[in-house]
């Protein structure tokens, strides 16, 4: 990543990152377990210098997934959300951009584009993130499966960078960086009545984010594919692995018998990652 002298004029006045000190909330519906995690929040005030005519810069937050384990356990196997690029060590980070304007996490409070001529000013940039997925009580492949979910384990790590981009030269500079992690463990007993099945295990409170001293950013964090496009939904038993290619916002559960002894690819998935 090339850095030019114009980018060095941008300064962070102050910044702060935190995770809400609340427990993950669990909801039990007829077909699914749903949970909502506490929010990661980060904001910064950035001093923007006076800009000359023709100068265009964008300042904002860039986030990438750096590790992900998301497993749902049943007596006959387990399902998981996976990022193959991370699992195979082909990259150290997968972009978590919203997909509308790479590389930014979002395009509202998360980034701002400034164009000269204009006087100096200070802008506040903020973002937040959390998970609110659904998990099937029943095995997510096959027909008329009984409710048998046993536990949910999720351990996901992120890095987030405050970045300024020279739009004319396509160069970047990282102004600030943080890393954060979400760990969720839920025990499930489907023999109990709905509303009493799921129990949140430790850690019930998430660790606070840490500032990154090394402000280098991998190229994969700045470009596609983003995590919502790169993720795969996988069903595994002792003899079977079925890999579902994921549509970005699927909201239905496939009815497919897990009768394959070889790897099988399907182009849809039951539920999204977040």
């Amino acid at each position: 990543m090339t850095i030019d002298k114009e980018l060095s004029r941008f300064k962070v006045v102050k910044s702060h990152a935190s995770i809400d000190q609340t427990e993950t909330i669990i909801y039990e519906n007829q077909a699914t377990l749903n949970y909502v995690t506490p929010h990661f929040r980060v904001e910064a005030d950035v001093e923007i210098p006076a800009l000359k005519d023709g100068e265009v810069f964008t300042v904002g937050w860039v986030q990438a997934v750096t590790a992900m384990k998301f497993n749902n356990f049943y007596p006959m196997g387990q399902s998981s959300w996976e990022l193959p690029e991370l699992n195979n060590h082909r990259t150290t980070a997968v972009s978590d951009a919203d997909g509308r304007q790479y590389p930014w996490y979002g395009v509202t409070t998360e980034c701002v584009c400034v164009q000269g001529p204009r006087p100096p000013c200070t802008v506040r940039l903020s973002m937040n993130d959390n998970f609110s997925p659904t998990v099937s009580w029943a095995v997510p492949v096959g027909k008329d499966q009984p409710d048998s979910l046993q536990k949910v384990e999720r351990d996901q790590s992120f890095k987030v960078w405050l970045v300024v981009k020279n739009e004319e030269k396509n160069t970047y500079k990282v102004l600030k960086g943080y890393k954060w992690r979400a760990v969720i463990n839920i025990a499930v007993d489907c023999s109990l009545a709905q509303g009493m099945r799921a129990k949140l295990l430790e850690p019930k409170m998430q660790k606070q984010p840490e500032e990154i001293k090394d402000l280098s950013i991998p190229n994969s964090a700045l470009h596609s594919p983003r995590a919502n496009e790169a993720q795969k939904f996988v069903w595994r038993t002792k003899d079977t692995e079925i890999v579902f290619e994921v549509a970005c916002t699927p909201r239905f559960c496939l009815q497919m018998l897990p009768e394959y002894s070889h790897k099988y690819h399907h182009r849809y998935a039951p539920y999204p990652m977040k």
Side-chain angles (χ1 to χ4, degrees):
M1 182 174 62
T2 304
I3 298 177
D4 61 51
K5 62 181 181 179
E6 285 86 357
L7 298 177
S8 63
R9 297 181 293 160
F10 291 76
K11 305 294 182 183
V12 177
V13 179
K14 62 179 180 179
S15 69
H16 177 72
S18 65
I19 296 179
D20 295 348
Q21 288 298 281
T22 57
E23 294 185 7
T24 293
I25 301 172
I26 298 174
Y27 301 95
E28 298 184 18
N29 294 329
Q30 183 175 356
T32 60
L33 164 68
N34 310 274
Y35 63 88
V36 180
T37 65
H39 281 78
F40 163 78
R41 305 179 191 275
V42 64
E43 68 176 21
D45 291 345
V46 179
E47 188 178 89
I48 296 176
L51 301 181
K52 302 175 183 178
D53 187 26
E55 289 187 310
V56 182
F57 297 88
T58 303
V59 188
W61 294 105
V62 174
Q63 180 165 272
V65 184
T66 56
M68 186 174 78
K69 180 179 73 173
F70 184 5
N71 299 320
N72 309 312
F73 295 89
Y74 302 85
M76 63 182 297
Q78 70 180 67
S79 64
S80 62
W81 289 96
E82 301 178 8
L83 291 170
E85 293 291 318
L86 288 178
N87 293 348
N88 297 329
H89 306 290
R90 292 195 294 265
T91 187
T92 59
V94 176
S95 168
D96 200 25
D98 70 353
R100 288 177 290 176
Q101 185 177 339
Y102 280 99
W104 314 111
Y105 180 79
V107 293
T108 53
T109 63
E110 299 87 358
C111 73
V112 62
C113 184
V114 289
Q115 182 173 351
R118 62 174 296 158
C121 65
T122 300
V123 297
R124 174 162 294 179
L125 301 163
S126 64
M127 62 162 278
N128 68 83
D129 191 15
N130 80 319
F131 313 136
S132 54
T134 58
V135 181
S136 174
W137 295 121
V139 170
V141 291
K143 297 180 180 179
D144 301 322
Q145 298 288 338
D147 292 355
S148 60
L149 179 66
Q150 295 176 320
K151 61 180 176 178
V152 175
E153 293 182 352
R154 184 166 189 167
D155 187 347
Q156 196 161 351
S157 298
F158 300 85
K159 286 185 178 180
V160 57
W161 299 271
L162 181 62
V163 175
V164 56
K165 178 185 179 183
N166 186 325
E167 295 290 352
E168 181 183 11
K169 297 181 178 179
N170 195 34
T171 52
Y172 297 86
K173 180 182 179 181
V174 178
L175 303 176
K176 185 72 70 172
Y178 295 93
K179 61 181 180 180
W180 65 282
R181 179 182 179 189
V183 181
I184 299 96
N185 294 303
I186 301 173
V188 181
D189 184 350
C190 285
S191 68
L192 300 178
Q194 181 184 314
M196 301 177 62
R197 292 177 168 183
K199 179 182 179 181
L200 182 67
L201 304 178
E202 295 293 343
K204 295 185 178 181
M205 297 292 181
Q206 303 297 316
K207 291 183 178 180
Q208 290 301 305
E210 297 179 15
E211 186 172 346
I212 299 171
K213 301 302 180 182
D214 178 5
L215 295 182
S216 60
I217 183 170
N219 193 58
S220 58
L222 301 172
H223 303 286
S224 62
R226 62 192 180 104
N228 282 357
E229 298 165 340
Q231 65 185 334
K232 304 293 183 183
F233 185 80
V234 184
W235 168 256
R236 289 187 177 91
T237 67
K238 180 179 178 181
D239 302 315
T240 303
E241 181 179 89
I242 305 177
V243 181
F244 297 87
E245 296 183 7
V246 181
C248 286
T249 55
R251 286 290 178 185
F252 56 90
C253 184
L254 282 177
Q255 298 299 307
M256 173 180 282
L257 290 172
E259 58 188 11
Y260 307 94
S261 59
H262 59 281
K263 183 178 290 187
Y264 181 85
H265 292 263
H266 199 282
R267 67 185 183 92
Y268 297 109
Y271 301 103
M273 184 174 69
K274 288 191 176 184

